[in-house]
Amino acid sequence: MRVGVIGATGAVGRELVEVLGRRRFPVTKLRLFASGRSAGTRVETPFGPVVIEEFSQDRARDLDLALLAVSGDFAKAHAPGLVAAGVTVVDNSSAFRLEDAVPLVVPEVNAAALGEAKLIANPNCTTAILVVALAPLHAAFGLKRVIVSTYQAASGAGAEGMTELERETRRVLVEGEPARNEVFAHPLAFNVIPHIDTFQPNAYTREEMKVTWETRKIMGLPDLPISCTAVRIPTMRVHAESVTIETLRPVTAEAARAVLRAAAGVRVVDEPARNLYPMPLTATGQDDVEAGRIRANPVFGDHGLDLFLCGDQLLKGAALNAVQIAERLPALQVPA
Ligand code: 2RA
Protein backbone atom coordinates (compact mmCIF):
# COMPACT_ATOMS: atom_id res chain seq x y z
CA MET A 1 0.00 0.00 0.00
CA ARG A 2 1.06 3.59 -0.60
CA VAL A 3 0.71 4.94 2.90
CA GLY A 4 0.72 8.54 4.05
CA VAL A 5 1.01 9.80 7.60
CA ILE A 6 -0.59 13.23 7.83
CA GLY A 7 0.63 15.16 10.86
CA ALA A 8 3.86 13.18 10.78
CA THR A 9 5.87 15.43 13.08
CA GLY A 10 3.53 15.24 16.10
CA ALA A 11 3.79 12.71 18.93
CA VAL A 12 1.16 10.40 17.37
CA GLY A 13 2.49 10.89 13.82
CA ARG A 14 5.99 9.81 14.83
CA GLU A 15 4.60 6.82 16.70
CA LEU A 16 2.52 5.81 13.64
CA VAL A 17 5.69 5.53 11.54
CA GLU A 18 7.38 3.39 14.20
CA VAL A 19 4.35 1.11 14.59
CA LEU A 20 3.99 0.63 10.81
CA GLY A 21 7.64 -0.46 10.73
CA ARG A 22 7.55 -2.65 13.82
CA ARG A 23 4.40 -4.49 12.63
CA ARG A 24 5.81 -4.84 9.09
CA PHE A 25 2.79 -3.15 7.57
CA PRO A 26 2.88 -3.79 3.79
CA VAL A 27 4.10 -0.34 2.76
CA THR A 28 5.26 0.03 -0.83
CA LYS A 29 5.86 3.76 -0.39
CA LEU A 30 5.68 5.81 2.79
CA ARG A 31 4.99 9.52 2.54
CA LEU A 32 5.05 11.92 5.45
CA PHE A 33 3.00 15.12 5.46
CA ALA A 34 3.13 18.05 7.83
CA SER A 35 2.85 21.82 7.77
CA GLY A 36 5.03 24.01 5.57
CA ARG A 37 7.38 24.57 8.55
CA SER A 38 8.62 20.97 8.49
CA ALA A 39 8.42 20.43 4.73
CA GLY A 40 11.76 19.49 3.20
CA THR A 41 13.09 17.89 6.40
CA ARG A 42 14.56 14.45 5.80
CA VAL A 43 13.72 11.87 8.44
CA GLU A 44 14.94 8.30 8.92
CA THR A 45 12.09 5.77 9.01
CA PRO A 46 11.92 1.96 9.17
CA PHE A 47 11.16 2.19 5.42
CA GLY A 48 14.23 4.29 4.62
CA PRO A 49 14.76 8.06 4.56
CA VAL A 50 11.68 10.14 3.72
CA VAL A 51 11.49 13.88 3.02
CA ILE A 52 8.50 15.52 4.72
CA GLU A 53 6.04 17.15 2.31
CA GLU A 54 3.69 20.04 2.97
CA PHE A 55 0.19 18.54 3.01
CA SER A 56 -2.32 19.28 0.29
CA GLN A 57 -5.21 17.08 -0.79
CA ASP A 58 -3.84 17.15 -4.28
CA ARG A 59 -0.43 15.85 -3.22
CA ALA A 60 -2.00 13.08 -1.12
CA ARG A 61 -4.66 11.93 -3.59
CA ASP A 62 -2.71 8.94 -4.96
CA LEU A 63 -2.24 7.33 -1.55
CA ASP A 64 -4.03 4.06 -0.81
CA LEU A 65 -4.16 4.76 2.92
CA ALA A 66 -3.92 8.01 4.88
CA LEU A 67 -3.38 7.87 8.64
CA LEU A 68 -4.47 11.23 10.03
CA ALA A 69 -2.88 12.55 13.24
CA VAL A 70 -4.26 16.07 12.93
CA SER A 71 -6.81 18.32 14.61
CA GLY A 72 -10.54 17.72 14.26
CA ASP A 73 -10.92 20.85 12.14
CA PHE A 74 -8.14 19.78 9.78
CA ALA A 75 -9.64 16.29 9.51
CA LYS A 76 -13.08 17.74 8.75
CA ALA A 77 -11.59 19.93 6.04
CA HIS A 78 -9.56 17.23 4.31
CA ALA A 79 -10.73 13.67 5.10
CA PRO A 80 -13.84 13.79 2.86
CA GLY A 81 -11.76 15.05 -0.08
CA LEU A 82 -9.23 12.27 0.35
CA VAL A 83 -11.98 9.65 0.55
CA ALA A 84 -13.57 11.09 -2.60
CA ALA A 85 -10.21 10.68 -4.33
CA GLY A 86 -10.21 6.97 -3.42
CA VAL A 87 -7.96 7.11 -0.35
CA THR A 88 -8.94 5.06 2.71
CA VAL A 89 -8.64 7.31 5.75
CA VAL A 90 -8.11 6.31 9.39
CA ASP A 91 -8.67 9.48 11.40
CA ASN A 92 -7.32 9.90 14.90
CA SER A 93 -9.31 13.07 15.65
CA SER A 94 -12.77 13.35 17.18
CA ALA A 95 -14.23 14.88 13.99
CA PHE A 96 -16.20 11.86 12.75
CA ARG A 97 -16.28 9.50 15.74
CA LEU A 98 -19.96 9.90 16.52
CA GLU A 99 -21.25 9.99 12.94
CA ASP A 100 -23.51 7.00 12.29
CA ALA A 101 -21.98 6.34 8.88
CA VAL A 102 -18.42 6.25 10.24
CA PRO A 103 -17.27 3.16 12.14
CA LEU A 104 -15.45 3.86 15.40
CA VAL A 105 -13.26 0.85 15.85
CA VAL A 106 -11.15 -0.94 18.42
CA PRO A 107 -10.34 -4.14 16.53
CA GLU A 108 -10.34 -6.42 19.59
CA VAL A 109 -13.91 -5.27 20.30
CA ASN A 110 -15.79 -4.39 17.10
CA ALA A 111 -13.67 -5.18 14.04
CA ALA A 112 -16.86 -6.24 12.24
CA ALA A 113 -18.04 -2.63 12.27
CA LEU A 114 -15.34 -1.83 9.69
CA GLY A 115 -17.29 -3.30 6.77
CA GLU A 116 -16.22 -1.66 3.54
CA ALA A 117 -15.83 1.79 5.10
CA LYS A 118 -13.35 4.19 3.51
CA LEU A 119 -13.37 6.58 6.47
CA ILE A 120 -12.77 5.01 9.86
CA ALA A 121 -12.48 6.83 13.17
CA ASN A 122 -9.90 5.93 15.79
CA PRO A 123 -11.30 6.46 19.31
CA ASN A 124 -10.14 8.78 22.02
CA CYS A 125 -7.16 7.22 23.81
CA THR A 126 -8.93 6.90 27.15
CA THR A 127 -11.82 5.03 25.52
CA ALA A 128 -9.62 2.65 23.51
CA ILE A 129 -7.69 1.65 26.63
CA LEU A 130 -10.93 1.17 28.57
CA VAL A 131 -12.91 -0.92 26.10
CA VAL A 132 -10.31 -3.63 25.53
CA ALA A 133 -10.91 -4.60 29.15
CA LEU A 134 -14.62 -3.74 29.39
CA ALA A 135 -15.72 -5.71 26.32
CA PRO A 136 -14.59 -9.15 27.52
CA LEU A 137 -16.02 -8.43 30.97
CA HIS A 138 -19.31 -7.47 29.34
CA ALA A 139 -19.34 -10.68 27.27
CA ALA A 140 -18.76 -12.78 30.39
CA PHE A 141 -20.80 -11.01 33.06
CA GLY A 142 -22.92 -8.29 31.37
CA LEU A 143 -22.32 -4.65 32.25
CA LYS A 144 -25.02 -2.84 34.19
CA ARG A 145 -23.08 0.36 34.89
CA VAL A 146 -19.54 1.68 34.78
CA ILE A 147 -17.70 4.36 36.77
CA VAL A 148 -14.23 5.43 35.64
CA SER A 149 -11.64 7.82 37.07
CA THR A 150 -8.65 8.50 34.88
CA TYR A 151 -5.05 9.50 35.51
CA GLN A 152 -3.97 10.82 32.12
CA ALA A 153 -0.45 11.47 30.94
CA ALA A 154 0.96 14.63 29.36
CA SER A 155 1.19 12.92 25.95
CA GLY A 156 -2.58 13.24 25.61
CA ALA A 157 -1.90 16.88 24.82
CA GLY A 158 0.66 15.94 22.18
CA ALA A 159 4.38 16.58 21.97
CA GLU A 160 3.80 20.10 23.36
CA GLY A 161 2.25 18.64 26.50
CA MET A 162 5.20 16.33 27.05
CA THR A 163 7.67 19.16 26.49
CA GLU A 164 5.77 21.42 28.89
CA LEU A 165 5.86 18.81 31.66
CA GLU A 166 9.60 18.27 31.18
CA ARG A 167 10.31 22.01 31.07
CA GLU A 168 8.19 22.72 34.16
CA THR A 169 9.81 19.92 36.13
CA ARG A 170 13.31 21.22 35.30
CA ARG A 171 12.25 24.75 36.13
CA VAL A 172 11.07 23.71 39.58
CA LEU A 173 13.87 21.27 40.40
CA VAL A 174 16.89 22.78 38.65
CA GLU A 175 16.11 26.49 38.57
CA GLY A 176 14.05 26.61 41.76
CA GLU A 177 11.40 28.69 39.98
CA PRO A 178 7.60 28.10 39.96
CA ALA A 179 6.31 26.02 37.04
CA ARG A 180 4.86 28.02 34.12
CA ASN A 181 2.09 26.54 31.97
CA GLU A 182 0.93 27.26 28.44
CA VAL A 183 -0.52 23.97 27.18
CA PHE A 184 -2.39 22.87 30.32
CA ALA A 185 -4.84 24.99 32.30
CA HIS A 186 -2.46 24.95 35.30
CA PRO A 187 1.11 23.83 35.92
CA LEU A 188 1.16 20.04 35.61
CA ALA A 189 4.46 19.35 37.34
CA PHE A 190 3.85 18.33 40.98
CA ASN A 191 0.11 18.73 40.42
CA VAL A 192 -3.00 16.90 39.21
CA ILE A 193 -5.60 18.73 37.12
CA PRO A 194 -9.22 17.50 37.03
CA HIS A 195 -9.84 19.24 33.73
CA ILE A 196 -9.20 17.81 30.25
CA ASP A 197 -10.78 19.50 27.22
CA THR A 198 -13.67 21.93 27.62
CA PHE A 199 -16.44 21.97 30.22
CA GLN A 200 -19.88 20.96 28.93
CA PRO A 201 -23.31 22.27 29.99
CA ASN A 202 -23.76 19.15 32.19
CA ALA A 203 -20.58 20.06 34.19
CA TYR A 204 -18.63 17.13 32.78
CA THR A 205 -15.66 17.85 30.50
CA ARG A 206 -15.68 16.88 26.85
CA GLU A 207 -12.97 14.30 27.57
CA GLU A 208 -15.25 12.70 30.15
CA MET A 209 -18.21 12.72 27.78
CA LYS A 210 -16.06 11.21 25.01
CA VAL A 211 -15.54 8.20 27.26
CA THR A 212 -19.31 7.87 27.67
CA TRP A 213 -20.30 8.49 24.03
CA GLU A 214 -17.52 6.47 22.42
CA THR A 215 -17.69 3.49 24.80
CA ARG A 216 -21.42 3.18 24.10
CA LYS A 217 -20.86 3.29 20.33
CA ILE A 218 -17.93 0.85 20.21
CA MET A 219 -19.59 -1.65 22.51
CA GLY A 220 -22.99 -1.30 20.85
CA LEU A 221 -24.59 -0.40 24.21
CA PRO A 222 -26.28 2.95 23.52
CA ASP A 223 -27.88 3.12 26.96
CA LEU A 224 -24.97 1.92 29.11
CA PRO A 225 -24.84 4.12 32.23
CA ILE A 226 -21.24 5.28 32.41
CA SER A 227 -19.65 8.16 34.25
CA CYS A 228 -16.06 9.37 34.01
CA THR A 229 -13.87 11.80 35.91
CA ALA A 230 -10.82 12.62 33.77
CA VAL A 231 -7.70 13.91 35.48
CA ARG A 232 -4.34 14.96 34.05
CA ILE A 233 -1.33 13.80 36.06
CA PRO A 234 2.40 14.47 35.61
CA THR A 235 3.35 11.25 33.82
CA MET A 236 4.67 11.13 30.27
CA ARG A 237 2.70 8.75 28.05
CA VAL A 238 0.51 6.20 29.84
CA HIS A 239 -3.10 6.76 30.81
CA ALA A 240 -4.21 4.93 33.97
CA GLU A 241 -7.88 4.26 34.72
CA SER A 242 -9.60 3.16 37.90
CA VAL A 243 -12.72 1.29 36.82
CA THR A 244 -15.73 0.13 38.84
CA ILE A 245 -18.37 -2.01 37.19
CA GLU A 246 -21.69 -3.35 38.29
CA THR A 247 -22.58 -6.51 36.41
CA LEU A 248 -25.82 -8.18 35.37
CA ARG A 249 -24.59 -11.63 36.37
CA PRO A 250 -22.52 -12.57 39.43
CA VAL A 251 -18.80 -11.94 39.10
CA THR A 252 -15.76 -12.87 41.15
CA ALA A 253 -12.26 -11.44 40.97
CA GLU A 254 -10.88 -14.86 40.01
CA ALA A 255 -13.40 -15.29 37.18
CA ALA A 256 -12.72 -11.76 35.92
CA ARG A 257 -8.97 -12.41 36.01
CA ALA A 258 -9.46 -15.55 33.92
CA VAL A 259 -11.60 -13.64 31.40
CA LEU A 260 -9.04 -10.84 31.10
CA ARG A 261 -6.12 -13.30 30.81
CA ALA A 262 -7.83 -14.74 27.72
CA ALA A 263 -8.66 -11.32 26.24
CA ALA A 264 -6.75 -9.98 23.24
CA GLY A 265 -4.89 -6.74 23.94
CA VAL A 266 -4.92 -7.15 27.73
CA ARG A 267 -2.11 -8.31 30.05
CA VAL A 268 -3.14 -9.18 33.58
CA VAL A 269 -0.60 -7.86 36.08
CA ASP A 270 -2.17 -8.68 39.40
CA GLU A 271 0.11 -10.09 42.06
CA PRO A 272 -0.21 -7.65 44.95
CA ALA A 273 1.84 -9.92 47.23
CA ARG A 274 4.82 -9.26 44.91
CA ASN A 275 3.92 -5.56 44.43
CA LEU A 276 2.90 -6.30 40.84
CA TYR A 277 0.06 -4.21 39.43
CA PRO A 278 -0.41 -1.94 36.41
CA MET A 279 1.74 1.20 36.40
CA PRO A 280 2.67 3.83 33.82
CA LEU A 281 6.33 2.83 34.19
CA THR A 282 5.68 -0.77 33.18
CA ALA A 283 3.01 -0.04 30.55
CA THR A 284 5.16 2.50 28.67
CA GLY A 285 6.01 1.26 25.20
CA GLN A 286 3.79 -1.84 25.59
CA ASP A 287 1.05 -2.76 23.12
CA ASP A 288 -1.14 -4.50 25.67
CA VAL A 289 -3.23 -2.70 28.27
CA GLU A 290 -2.21 -3.79 31.76
CA ALA A 291 -5.11 -4.83 34.04
CA GLY A 292 -4.75 -5.48 37.75
CA ARG A 293 -5.92 -4.69 41.30
CA ILE A 294 -8.91 -6.83 40.34
CA ARG A 295 -11.16 -7.21 43.37
CA ALA A 296 -14.79 -7.57 44.40
CA ASN A 297 -16.48 -4.23 44.97
CA PRO A 298 -18.36 -4.40 48.31
CA VAL A 299 -20.91 -1.75 47.26
CA PHE A 300 -22.32 -4.06 44.58
CA GLY A 301 -21.82 -7.35 46.44
CA ASP A 302 -21.27 -10.30 44.11
CA HIS A 303 -22.22 -8.12 41.12
CA GLY A 304 -19.40 -5.60 41.42
CA LEU A 305 -15.75 -5.34 40.53
CA ASP A 306 -12.95 -2.80 40.82
CA LEU A 307 -9.91 -2.87 38.58
CA PHE A 308 -7.03 -0.65 37.48
CA LEU A 309 -5.83 -0.27 33.89
CA CYS A 310 -2.72 1.27 32.35
CA GLY A 311 -2.33 1.70 28.60
CA ASP A 312 0.24 3.51 26.49
CA GLN A 313 -1.65 6.57 25.25
CA LEU A 314 0.44 6.87 22.10
CA LEU A 315 0.14 3.15 21.25
CA LYS A 316 -3.20 1.49 22.08
CA GLY A 317 -4.56 4.97 22.71
CA ALA A 318 -3.62 6.20 19.24
CA ALA A 319 -1.03 4.87 16.76
CA LEU A 320 -1.22 1.14 17.47
CA ASN A 321 -5.03 1.09 17.30
CA ALA A 322 -4.95 3.04 14.01
CA VAL A 323 -2.50 0.57 12.46
CA GLN A 324 -4.50 -2.39 13.81
CA ILE A 325 -7.55 -0.90 12.05
CA ALA A 326 -5.55 -0.59 8.82
CA GLU A 327 -4.40 -4.21 9.13
CA ARG A 328 -8.07 -5.26 9.02
CA LEU A 329 -8.94 -3.34 5.87
CA PRO A 330 -10.58 -5.56 3.25
CA ALA A 331 -7.80 -4.79 0.74
CA LEU A 332 -5.30 -6.55 3.00
CA GLN A 333 -7.35 -9.66 3.72
CA VAL A 334 -6.36 -12.88 1.96
CA PRO A 335 -9.48 -14.40 0.36
CA ALA A 336 -10.52 -17.66 2.09
C1 2RA B 1 -6.03 13.59 26.30
N1 2RA B 1 -7.60 11.98 25.49
O1 2RA B 1 -5.50 12.76 27.02
C2 2RA B 1 -6.91 13.19 25.19
C3 2RA B 1 -6.11 13.11 23.93
N2 2RA B 1 -6.69 12.39 22.90
O2 2RA B 1 -5.86 14.79 26.39
Side-chain angles (χ1 to χ4, degrees):
M1 279 190 157
R2 294 163 296 181
V3 178
V5 175
I6 324 289
T9 53
V12 174
R14 287 197 293 252
E15 210 67 41
L16 279 166
V17 174
E18 288 310 308
V19 174
L20 287 168
R22 174 159 66 78
R23 293 178 71 89
R24 300 184 194 288
F25 193 83
V27 174
T28 50
K29 185 171 171 60
L30 177 70
R31 293 172 66 195
L32 303 180
F33 295 92
S35 67
R37 253 179 304 130
S38 312
T41 310
R42 187 183 135 112
V43 291
E44 295 303 325
T45 80
F47 306 96
V50 177
V51 176
I52 295 178
E53 301 171 63
E54 180 171 5
F55 175 80
S56 75
Q57 279 186 41
D58 209 41
R59 285 198 189 102
R61 60 184 300 117
D62 62 350
L63 295 171
D64 299 307
L65 170 68
L67 301 171
L68 265 56
V70 297
S71 70
D73 286 343
F74 193 96
K76 267 194 192 130
H78 297 291
L82 290 174
V83 170
V87 183
T88 298
V89 173
V90 179
D91 175 34
N92 201 54
S93 82
S94 61
F96 304 100
R97 286 180 190 154
L98 300 179
E99 287 193 9
D100 286 342
V102 178
L104 176 65
V105 176
V106 172
E108 292 90 340
V109 180
N110 66 337
L114 268 176
E116 301 282 317
K118 297 288 183 223
L119 171 59
I120 302 113
N122 203 31
N124 181 35
C125 42
T126 317
T127 313
I129 290 164
L130 177 65
V131 296
V132 287
L134 276 191
L137 292 173
H138 175 63
F141 311 108
L143 289 179
K144 188 167 175 192
R145 48 187 144 213
V146 179
I147 300 169
V148 186
S149 297
T150 72
Y151 308 73
Q152 296 184 215
S155 60
E160 298 79 13
M162 298 165 89
T163 307
E164 177 155 303
L165 174 59
E166 225 180 289
R167 202 178 39 231
E168 282 180 343
T169 309
R170 271 184 217 288
R171 211 173 129 79
V172 173
L173 289 181
V174 181
E175 296 160 29
E177 298 287 335
R180 262 206 313 247
N181 56 295
E182 283 166 20
V183 175
F184 301 109
H186 299 275
L188 183 59
F190 309 101
N191 197 12
V192 297
I193 308 173
H195 172 187
I196 301 177
D197 210 329
T198 51
F199 282 96
Q200 304 295 290
N202 67 356
Y204 280 81
T205 62
R206 205 168 128 74
E207 177 76 4
E208 292 162 347
M209 292 315 299
K210 281 180 189 172
V211 171
T212 295
W213 297 326
E214 296 179 18
T215 299
R216 287 175 173 165
K217 177 167 176 180
I218 295 164
M219 294 187 60
L221 298 171
D223 301 317
L224 179 70
I226 171 165
S227 152
C228 176
T229 301
V231 180
R232 186 77 69 197
I233 65 162
T235 51
M236 239 357 142
R237 56 176 284 168
V238 164
H239 284 2
E241 306 183 22
S242 165
V243 183
T244 298
I245 59 172
E246 187 184 6
T247 55
L248 296 169
R249 297 182 285 282
V251 61
T252 64
E254 200 37 59
R257 238 174 253 126
V259 164
L260 290 172
R261 272 194 203 105
V266 179
R267 192 162 75 90
V268 173
V269 183
D270 200 14
E271 293 181 66
R274 296 177 55 213
N275 293 349
L276 294 178
Y277 26 70
M279 292 189 298
L281 274 183
T282 48
T284 295
Q286 303 298 320
D287 285 354
D288 286 343
V289 171
E290 292 185 350
R293 299 294 324 279
I294 301 166
R295 59 210 190 275
N297 176 297
V299 175
F300 299 121
D302 63 358
H303 285 66
L305 203 72
D306 287 320
L307 64 156
F308 194 70
L309 306 174
C310 279
D312 191 306
Q313 188 271 333
L314 294 173
L315 290 175
K316 190 59 192 168
L320 172 66
N321 198 68
V323 173
Q324 287 173 317
I325 289 172
E327 288 168 349
R328 303 272 188 143
L329 292 174
L332 292 182
Q333 305 313 307
V334 181

